[in-house]
Amino acid sequence: MTLEKSYFEYPHRSYGMDHDYYDWSMLVDRKPVEWPGGKQLALWVNVALQFFPLNQRGKPFPPPGGMSTAYPDLRHFTLREYGNRVGVFRVLSALDQFKVKGSFAISSRLAERYPYLVRRIVDRGDEILCHGWNMDTPHYGGQDKQEEAEIIARSLKVLRDVTGQRVTGWISPGKSQSLHTPELLVSNGINYMCDWVNDDMPFQFRTPAGDITAMPLSTELEDRFIILNNLHSETEYADQIIDAFDYLYAEAAEQGGRLLALNVHPWMLGQPHRIGKLELVLQHVMSHQGVWSAAAGDIRAAWLDAQ
Amino acid sequence: MKEDPGLYDYWPYENRPEITWPNGARVAFWVAPNIEFYELDPAVNPHRKAWPKPVPDVSGYATRDYGNRVGHMRLMRLLDKYGVRGSISLSTALCEHHPEIIAMCKERDWEFFSHGIYNTRYTYGMDEAQEKAMIEDAVETILKHTGQKCAGYLAPALTHTEVTMDLFAEAGGIYTCDLFHDDQPTPVQVRSGSKFVSVPYSLEMNDTIVYVVNRIEPRRYGDMIKANFDRLYAEGADNGVVMCIPLHGYQVSHPHRLRAFEEALEYITGHPDVWVTTGREIAEYYIDHHYDAAVADIAAKGRQS
């Protein structure tokens, strides 16, 4: 056997990254950040309100948490619907109980289908991010750029119309992107995206249409990832988040402001046997004086100010 | 293809010649941080896909990049605290991409060994000349950027050919981390006949295998490490053993994992009679003091047929 000669050519083997999206930078080398009010840790709770269509195409890949039986997969469809009907209200109560400011990433198709829920979030004065058209409309490498541009424009138009908010934040379904996604987001008035989980702090990302901020929304600390992907218990979920908080809080005291980014799915943590663990986590975090609970857009703005 | 890799003979764990370590230690303990570079859009190997999703696989790429931006520095602070020098399994192109990380490792007198050029370039499908050139490139890169003569090898992404060990030994290497057949170093047969050994590098203790493949909780990983150590420490009173913890800055260094790991590291390094060392030092000591006795014992116990 022999490989092509090109397999031994390394066109990007030089200083920095192997692409132009962002600069190479180590967290320890960056200017320390102080959050508003002299706080050391910013708590960002993202509540994902997602629509998984029953007629999932799964092309070119199915979304995490999507339909998995033969059609019609009533089981997974209704389990996900549970989050938007029941679970979300438990999550809202938990946020309010501990005075936590949530941010809400909403599938635009969900906003169209359930105006009551959107109105509820808007009336709370909470920030809404766009979570793509629906969970079965992925952005992916090789996608036609015009097609993707149309999806992004439509998703934002619908969500902006329904919510009346500017909507400047974005999370792709499954955090999947094409090579064009960041550029198309900038062209559509988005100024931060949450798909790149390569840091514990925000960082600037370049596109041909201008810069966009990458706000790392940790996958490792996500309820879905810990409980559904890793099959860890509810107790272990709480242990891991509390361990993460304690670590970041201590690191922030030495090295400057840190960000604890928790992605919460009401269809997961909104179940009666799990909601108590979210409450336990929020109680632990909010019992610390140095915590700043804020919306994602406000955290981004404070971070930019500190640069 | 062969029934058996032909790298070592069967050699029962009981009644082996005694291994002694410096200062009467029972366990030679080493920690191997993998410092890796994964490419966003690597050249395609027809035998293995680099990423499950079409380029850009944002989740996969960003997950690895976290180690370089955030993780290694946390691990360095922790290993410094417990007096552990890392033995780095290095994607050698990282010397060019991220020299700042290499400088921090050099300041700590850590060992660098080869883990290929990139962890997205696989050995599968290479002919012998190609693999030889790749191995030599990695060895030369380490020498050029660190001043160290590369002693050890962990194949990139654990992809091998039948001649990987032969080629690495001929490039001047003395040990491999690619074999998981034993808790002690063992001689490895290479065609040049040079003294070449396997230094145990436990996949069972490897954080990626633990967290990702086996989906183990962070605190349970700490418990597993302690249990692994306790048994090896007991057995090491009679015959010296090796314990290795292979790590990744993009796994163990996450904030929800590092404290539980630290407890295990504190536990191990809090014991007397533990030789906290590096892969190269274990290999060299073994070759100098125990290799010949091992070869004779293996021969006396009969080769497998």
Side-chain angles (χ1 to χ4, degrees):
Chain A
M1 287 193 291
T2 298
L3 295 179
E4 299 284 335
K5 193 165 167 284
S6 61
Y7 200 68
F8 301 89
E9 291 164 1
Y10 311 104
H12 301 291
R13 189 174 173 180
S14 57
Y15 185 78
M17 303 309 300
D18 60 334
H19 54 72
D20 296 324
Y21 278 146
Y22 53 83
D23 290 329
W24 152 237
S25 151
M26 293 191 285
L27 180 58
V28 291
D29 286 346
R30 292 179 221 154
K31 186 180 157 195
V33 169
E34 187 179 279
W35 299 117
K39 304 289 189 181
Q40 67 198 66
L41 183 131
L43 172 66
W44 167 25
V45 176
N46 181 72
V47 182
L49 300 178
Q50 304 173 320
F51 180 62
F52 292 85
L54 184 66
N55 57 345
Q56 175 178 294
R57 294 170 305 148
K59 304 287 184 194
F61 40 78
M67 304 301 107
S68 54
T69 77
Y71 179 86
D73 185 351
L74 292 184
R75 169 180 155 184
H76 290 100
F77 184 82
T78 57
L79 273 169
R80 303 300 169 255
E81 288 270 279
Y82 180 93
N84 299 321
R85 295 168 64 92
V86 180
V88 64
F89 297 100
R90 294 198 181 108
V91 171
L92 292 178
S93 296
L95 296 176
D96 293 344
Q97 185 183 348
F98 298 102
K99 298 187 168 49
V100 172
K101 190 82 178 162
S103 307
F104 295 77
I106 304 183
S107 302
S108 293
R109 180 61 185 137
L110 185 84
E112 226 176 29
R113 285 167 55 89
Y114 305 147
Y116 177 94
L117 182 55
V118 174
R119 184 51 47 203
R120 185 77 164 75
I121 305 302
V122 169
D123 288 348
R124 291 166 55 87
D126 287 330
E127 180 181 355
I128 291 171
L129 294 74
C130 187
H131 198 3
W133 178 248
N134 64 29
M135 292 302 289
D136 190 37
T137 307
H139 303 256
Y140 58 92
Q143 186 172 25
D144 178 75
K145 191 175 179 182
Q146 281 311 310
E147 175 190 302
E148 186 181 12
E150 186 276 325
I151 291 167
I152 290 173
R154 172 161 46 99
S155 302
L156 285 164
K157 179 173 191 324
V158 165
L159 196 63
R160 284 166 176 157
D161 285 350
V162 175
T163 63
Q165 292 192 6
R166 279 178 64 213
V167 183
T168 58
W170 175 276
I171 304 174
S172 301
K175 293 181 182 162
S176 173
Q177 297 191 345
S178 77
L179 291 166
H180 305 298
T181 308
E183 175 191 354
L184 292 170
L185 293 176
V186 173
S187 302
N188 282 275
I190 291 293
N191 60 32
Y192 71 94
M193 59 180 182
C194 315
D195 299 330
W196 289 73
V197 291
N198 48 343
D199 214 297
D200 276 344
M201 286 292 279
F203 61 95
Q204 284 298 85
F205 201 99
R206 275 187 293 272
T207 87
D211 283 2
I212 184 169
T213 306
M215 293 276 287
L217 180 61
S218 173
T219 299
E220 295 280 355
L221 299 179
E222 197 175 295
D223 55 352
R224 181 200 60 80
F225 188 75
I226 292 174
I227 297 172
L228 187 63
N229 185 77
N230 290 343
L231 301 176
H232 296 174
S233 70
E234 289 74 28
T235 301
E236 260 293 333
Y237 168 78
D239 288 347
Q240 289 176 45
I241 305 302
I242 288 170
D243 283 355
F245 168 79
D246 290 348
Y247 188 89
L248 289 171
Y249 196 71
E251 185 173 271
E254 286 182 24
Q255 298 180 23
R258 287 289 181 265
L259 173 64
L260 178 65
L262 301 181
N263 197 14
V264 166
H265 296 76
W267 52 262
M268 176 58 62
L269 285 187
Q271 288 281 349
H273 57 297
R274 296 197 183 108
I275 191 68
K277 298 305 180 186
L278 177 63
E279 291 163 355
L280 185 70
V281 163
L282 296 179
Q283 180 180 34
H284 179 82
V285 171
M286 296 308 289
S287 69
H288 291 74
Q289 293 298 318
V291 172
W292 176 48
S293 169
D298 293 338
I299 293 172
R300 172 192 179 255
W303 175 79
L304 268 181
D305 283 348
Q307 297 311 297
Chain B
M1 290 189 281
K2 302 187 285 190
E3 183 192 27
D4 169 305
L7 295 170
Y8 54 83
D9 291 307
Y10 178 73
W11 190 31
Y13 188 49
E14 61 183 11
N15 302 318
R16 288 182 182 174
E18 185 185 350
I19 289 179
T20 55
W21 296 127
N23 302 310
R26 305 173 178 201
V27 178
F29 174 67
W30 66 301
V31 174
N34 282 265
I35 297 189
E36 298 172 328
F37 199 103
Y38 285 73
E39 298 160 283
L40 186 67
D41 189 10
V44 174
N45 184 306
H47 306 277
R48 177 170 161 176
K49 275 176 77 174
W51 299 113
K53 288 191 178 146
V55 173
D57 189 327
V58 171
S59 294
Y61 182 86
T63 294
R64 272 61 171 211
D65 190 32
Y66 180 93
N68 294 334
R69 295 172 72 86
V70 181
H72 302 315
M73 285 57 80
R74 285 190 182 142
L75 195 53
M76 283 180 199
R77 286 166 63 98
L78 190 62
L79 295 182
D80 286 351
K81 184 173 171 184
Y82 295 99
V84 179
R85 286 163 54 223
S87 306
I88 301 157
S89 164
L90 181 68
S91 292
T92 54
L94 193 128
C95 295
E96 283 109 352
H97 287 287
H98 300 333
E100 296 89 346
I101 295 176
I102 300 298
M104 293 170 85
C105 298
K106 282 167 70 178
E107 280 168 25
R108 287 164 170 78
D109 193 25
W110 285 12
E111 177 191 339
F112 298 89
F113 66 84
S114 173
H115 191 26
I117 312 291
Y118 287 105
N119 220 32
T120 35
R121 302 272 176 152
Y122 311 122
T123 317
Y124 299 141
M126 290 186 189
D127 65 33
E128 188 172 322
Q130 289 176 329
E131 186 177 10
K132 178 175 190 290
M134 182 272 287
I135 287 172
E136 288 173 355
D137 179 340
V139 168
E140 285 162 14
T141 302
I142 287 176
L143 183 64
K144 178 180 164 194
H145 291 270
T146 75
Q148 291 188 18
K149 186 171 178 297
C150 175
Y153 197 68
L154 179 71
L158 274 61
T159 62
H160 312 96
T161 69
E162 289 182 354
V163 294
T164 298
M165 307 297 164
D166 297 324
L167 292 171
F168 182 60
E170 286 157 20
I174 60 167
Y175 77 96
T176 175
C177 304
D178 283 306
L179 308 176
F180 311 107
H181 61 307
D182 220 291
D183 284 328
Q184 290 183 317
T186 63
V188 172
Q189 294 149 12
V190 290
R191 64 190 180 190
S192 67
S194 67
K195 290 185 177 180
F196 189 78
V197 298
S198 165
V199 174
Y201 168 96
S202 173
L203 267 197
E204 294 281 341
M205 290 289 105
N206 182 306
D207 62 348
T208 297
I209 303 299
V210 168
Y211 296 132
V212 181
V213 178
N214 297 335
R215 302 180 181 184
I216 300 293
E217 301 87 343
R219 295 184 186 186
R220 187 174 153 212
Y221 180 41
D223 293 341
M224 287 166 58
I225 293 171
K226 289 184 209 172
N228 191 286
F229 172 78
D230 283 343
R231 180 52 57 109
L232 289 172
Y233 189 71
E235 293 177 359
D238 299 324
N239 198 335
V241 292
V242 174
M243 178 173 176
C244 179
I245 308 180
L247 298 170
H248 298 74
Y250 64 86
Q251 294 293 351
V252 74
S253 298
H254 275 283
H256 61 307
R257 291 177 173 150
L258 213 45
R259 178 62 199 151
F261 175 74
E262 176 173 358
E263 283 174 19
L265 191 63
E266 185 177 21
Y267 180 78
I268 292 171
T269 56
H271 281 70
D273 302 328
V274 175
W275 181 28
V276 180
T277 184
T278 68
R280 179 207 309 271
E281 288 171 359
I282 294 169
E284 287 175 344
Y285 192 90
Y286 182 83
I287 287 171
D288 289 348
H289 297 86
H290 303 300
Y291 179 92
D292 291 339
V295 168
D297 192 60
I298 293 166
K301 285 172 179 162
R303 300 177 78 90
Q304 64 201 87
S305 59

